[in-house]
């Protein structure tokens, strides 16, 4: 519960696609202390370190993608951050997670690891181009994600293979 956490002195930070698109609608409500727009993979850790070491200073206020309330309730938003080289993002330290807390049969647990950003396609109904225009991917040497399921025999030839995350693709 956000109100309980704030009553204990916690700072509330939110991020994601909604914050990136309409972050200005969240800060005035007072539940959030900070927003992190854009790609905050590396920026978030930088912000936490700077804010923790000097919460009353100004250095943390310049982190890309940061939204916050200043004095007098004025709301500030920095330009969203983007990770140009996805190989710089470390993989999750799964050894630090108590995987049995998620499922007692650890071999059945699946955690996604995103190996690209944006999308190479330009579907007119999709919000992704609004958030990030440039498609980027990890280099092949750093990808450690499981292979996608193989489409049913003949489905690619008939233009009916599915691409995860999109309605469908095929003949153009």
């Amino acid at each position: 519960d956000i109100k309980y956490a704030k009553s204990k002195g916690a700072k509330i930070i939110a991020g994601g696609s909604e914050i990136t698109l309409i972050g200005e609608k969240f800060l005035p409500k007072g539940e959030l202390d900070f927003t992190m727009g854009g790609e905050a993979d590396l920026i978030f850790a930088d912000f936490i370190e700077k804010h923790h070491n000097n919460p009353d200073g100004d250095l943390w206020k310049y982190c890309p993608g940061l939204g916050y309330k200043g004095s007098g309730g004025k709301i500030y938003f920095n330009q969203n951050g983007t990770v140009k080289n996805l190989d710089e993002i470390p993989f999750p330290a799964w050894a630090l997670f108590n995987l049995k807390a998620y499922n007692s049969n650890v071999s059945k647990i699946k955690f996604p690891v995103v190996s690209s950003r944006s999308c190479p396609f330009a579907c007119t109904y999709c919000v992704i181009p609004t958030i990030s225009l440039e498609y980027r991917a990890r280099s092949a040497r750093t990808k450690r994600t499981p292979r996608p399921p193989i489409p049913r025999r003949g489905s690619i030839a008939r233009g009916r293979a599915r691409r995860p995350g999109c309605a469908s693709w095929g003949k153009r």
Side-chain angles (χ1 to χ4, degrees):
D1 180 73
I2 291 177
K3 289 180 184 175
Y4 176 76
K6 287 185 77 93
S7 74
K8 298 295 182 185
K11 298 291 184 191
I12 308 299
I13 305 171
S17 56
E18 278 189 271
I19 295 295
T20 299
L21 290 170
I22 54 172
E24 69 279 356
K25 299 202 184 290
F26 292 92
L27 281 172
K29 295 179 180 182
E31 292 179 340
L32 300 178
D33 296 296
F34 305 101
T35 60
M36 215 28 98
E39 299 173 1
D41 304 84
L42 303 174
I43 298 162
F44 182 72
D46 186 44
F47 165 75
I48 294 296
E49 181 180 330
K50 287 176 180 172
H51 189 273
H52 177 75
N53 291 337
N54 191 3
D56 297 323
D58 285 347
L59 202 53
W60 59 266
K61 294 179 181 177
Y62 300 103
C63 290
L66 181 68
Y68 63 95
K69 267 192 212 177
S71 59
K74 184 175 180 186
I75 295 175
Y76 296 90
F77 286 100
N78 298 338
Q79 182 176 350
N80 289 337
T82 302
V83 179
K84 297 288 183 200
N85 180 0
L86 297 184
D87 292 341
E88 293 176 3
I89 301 172
F91 282 92
W94 296 119
L96 299 177
F97 286 82
N98 177 7
L99 297 178
K100 289 189 179 189
Y102 294 92
N103 187 332
S104 61
N105 187 350
V106 175
S107 67
K108 298 281 185 187
I109 299 173
K110 293 183 173 87
F111 291 101
V113 174
V114 178
S115 61
S116 65
R117 296 287 165 88
S118 194
C119 180
F121 301 93
C123 304
T124 57
Y125 55 84
C126 185
V127 72
I128 297 298
T130 307
I131 297 171
S132 177
L133 295 173
E134 181 187 352
Y135 175 75
R136 292 151 292 138
R138 282 186 174 272
S139 65
R141 64 180 172 73
T142 67
K143 289 183 185 177
R144 297 180 190 161
T145 56
R147 294 174 62 180
I150 298 172
R152 287 190 318 227
R153 189 173 153 177
S155 63
I156 291 177
R158 291 192 300 270
R160 286 185 268 157
R162 299 279 187 225
R163 185 171 58 84
C166 282
S168 66
W169 65 277
K171 299 175 184 172
R172 287 192 167 228

